[in-house]
Amino acid sequence: SQQGEEDPQALSIQEGENATMNCSYKTSINNLQWYRQNSGRGLVHLILIRSNEREKHSGRLRVTLDTSKKSSSLLITASRAADTASYFCATDSTQGGSEKLVFGKGTKLTVNP
Amino acid sequence: DGGITQSPKYLFRKEGQNVTLSCEQNLNHDAMYWYRQDPGQGLRLIYYSQIVNDFQKGDIAEGYSVSREKKESFPLTVTSAQKNPTAFYLCASSLRGPNTEAFFGQGTRLTVV
């Protein structure tokens, strides 16, 4: 089963606007990660936020985590056409004493020039 | 250069054949993962391994098999028991499991002909 669910499934904005994507998860986590995927390629890690952190920044990226609501958001400010990609959240999940990395279905972001 | 390499990039399989997808990493990572990606489904976990000579089933392991005889290598075999194998397969590795950043290969696109 997929732990994280991103919302919206697709988002289309104009260059220069901000893009916000949300992720909800079901069980308690140690950390939450965001990844980016260009079409037909592998995923690239963007940012990791630990369960005891509420907000984290990296360049034009801002991630928030609300463990009480089991949700996270990824904000991309001043978007560029090159930001067009799919964005996934991923969480750790424990199964039979073993930890695994579980992804959501992703948000497809289109930034129009 | 350190990284994770998947081969081949494209693979065609006839009905009833087993095929093996290669995944090699030189990052000295302990954990390795195999995911399957279908359109609109996000990434689904097939198998994962936290240490050499040990691996666990993910959410969709039926019809697949893996081995982890060496730290650097985590090959995935798609058997004839997998009824719908056409998909994009992604391999990933991380230093110590899901609490650390995962690095992805560029993927293998498998098509049944």
Side-chain angles (χ1 to χ4, degrees), chain A residues 3 13-14 26 32 37 43-44 57 59 83 86 89 94 109:
Chain A
Q3 164 80 307
I13 59 174
Q14 295 300 121
K26 298 171 186 172
L32 185 142
Q37 183 185 34
L43 279 70
V44 174
H57 296 254
D83 294 328
S86 291
C89 66
T94 300
L109 173 66

Side-chain angles (χ1 to χ4, degrees), chain A:
Chain A
S1 60
Q2 290 176 288
Q3 164 80 307
E5 291 288 337
E6 290 89 343
D7 168 60
Q9 290 186 349
L11 180 61
S12 181
I13 59 174
Q14 295 300 121
E15 210 164 22
E17 294 181 339
N18 295 342
T20 299
M21 288 158 270
N22 303 296
C23 169
S24 59
Y25 56 92
K26 298 171 186 172
T27 61
S28 62
I29 60 172
N30 294 310
N31 66 77
L32 185 142
Q33 303 183 50
W34 284 91
Y35 289 80
R36 166 197 169 122
Q37 183 185 34
N38 284 44
S39 182
R41 307 295 297 272
L43 279 70
V44 174
H45 182 263
L46 295 175
I47 200 164
L48 180 152
I49 186 166
R50 304 206 180 278
S51 59
N52 61 355
E53 296 176 307
R54 291 296 166 257
E55 188 170 311
K56 204 162 182 179
H57 296 254
S58 177
R60 293 184 295 112
L61 305 181
R62 173 180 168 245
V63 168
T64 62
L65 179 63
D66 187 335
T67 53
S68 66
K69 294 181 180 178
K70 292 187 171 59
S71 67
S72 173
S73 67
L74 170 67
L75 168 68
I76 303 174
T77 60
S79 64
R80 305 166 182 167
D83 294 328
T84 294
S86 291
Y87 293 82
F88 295 87
C89 66
T91 56
D92 58 298
S93 177
T94 300
Q95 172 181 298
S98 189
E99 292 183 311
K100 56 184 181 178
L101 184 62
V102 181
F103 285 80
K105 294 185 178 182
T107 292
K108 188 171 184 178
L109 173 66
T110 302
V111 181
N112 301 299

Side-chain angles (χ1 to χ4, degrees), chain B:
Chain B
D1 284 332
I4 181 164
T5 303
Q6 287 186 245
S7 62
K9 189 171 182 180
Y10 298 97
L11 186 58
F12 297 89
R13 191 194 94 170
K14 292 183 180 178
E15 295 274 0
Q17 272 186 341
N18 292 354
V19 290
T20 297
L21 283 60
S22 171
C23 179
E24 303 276 333
Q25 54 98 358
N26 61 2
L27 300 167
N28 200 32
H29 285 174
D30 284 326
M32 296 188 76
Y33 306 85
W34 272 107
Y35 295 91
R36 169 180 171 141
Q37 187 174 31
D38 297 280
Q41 293 289 324
L43 275 68
R44 292 186 289 169
L45 184 63
I46 305 173
Y47 269 98
Y48 61 108
S49 167
Q50 289 192 306
I51 198 168
V52 176
N53 293 322
D54 187 41
F55 50 83
Q56 288 78 39
K57 292 181 179 180
D59 299 315
I60 57 165
E62 185 175 351
Y64 300 98
S65 66
V66 293
S67 63
R68 187 87 188 275
E69 297 175 359
K70 298 187 297 181
K71 190 174 187 177
E72 313 82 64
S73 179
F74 192 40
L76 173 74
T77 296
V78 184
T79 75
S80 56
Q82 171 49 238
K83 298 306 177 190
N84 185 22
T86 295
F88 189 51
Y89 291 87
L90 287 160
C91 179
S93 70
S94 64
L95 184 60
R96 290 185 304 274
N99 295 312
T100 53
E101 172 186 353
F103 291 77
F104 279 80
Q106 289 304 301
T108 293
R109 189 165 298 279
L110 174 64
T111 304
V112 173
V113 295

